[in-house]
Amino acid sequence: MEWSAHPTEEDARREYERTWGLLGSREIEELLDLPVMSDPVALATLDVLNKIVAPALFTDANLYSWPSAEWSTSV
């Protein structure tokens, strides 16, 4: 997974739109019916991304939104 240390607002918006596009016509509540994630690589990726969210918030608003979109679409 790659992303810029300082993504532009356009980069962040594009990832946000991609996330919603992957959701399609499903309601957010339908995600509760998905199987629990068990892939160790995906779980480790989410663990790392979860740890960088707070520092990203204080660094750059666009950087904060980027991992959130990335982790929802790449694992």
Side-chain angles (χ1 to χ4, degrees):
M1 185 179 314
E2 289 183 29
W3 67 79
S4 169
H6 297 286
T8 65
E9 188 171 333
E10 181 181 327
D11 292 335
R13 172 61 58 188
R14 186 174 41 251
E15 287 303 313
Y16 179 82
E17 295 297 332
R18 186 168 73 108
T19 299
W20 282 102
L22 290 171
L23 186 61
S25 62
R26 293 177 284 191
E27 296 290 326
I28 291 176
E29 292 78 13
E30 292 178 57
L31 299 177
L32 294 171
D33 298 328
L34 293 173
V36 175
M37 186 182 301
S38 59
D39 176 50
V41 173
L43 288 168
T45 301
L46 285 176
D47 187 45
V48 169
L49 290 172
N50 193 34
K51 285 178 173 47
I52 68 168
V53 168
L57 174 61
F58 294 105
T59 303
D60 184 313
N62 293 329
L63 181 60
Y64 171 74
S65 63
W66 186 275
S68 301
E70 275 294 316
W71 78 36
S72 64
T73 60
S74 65
V75 291

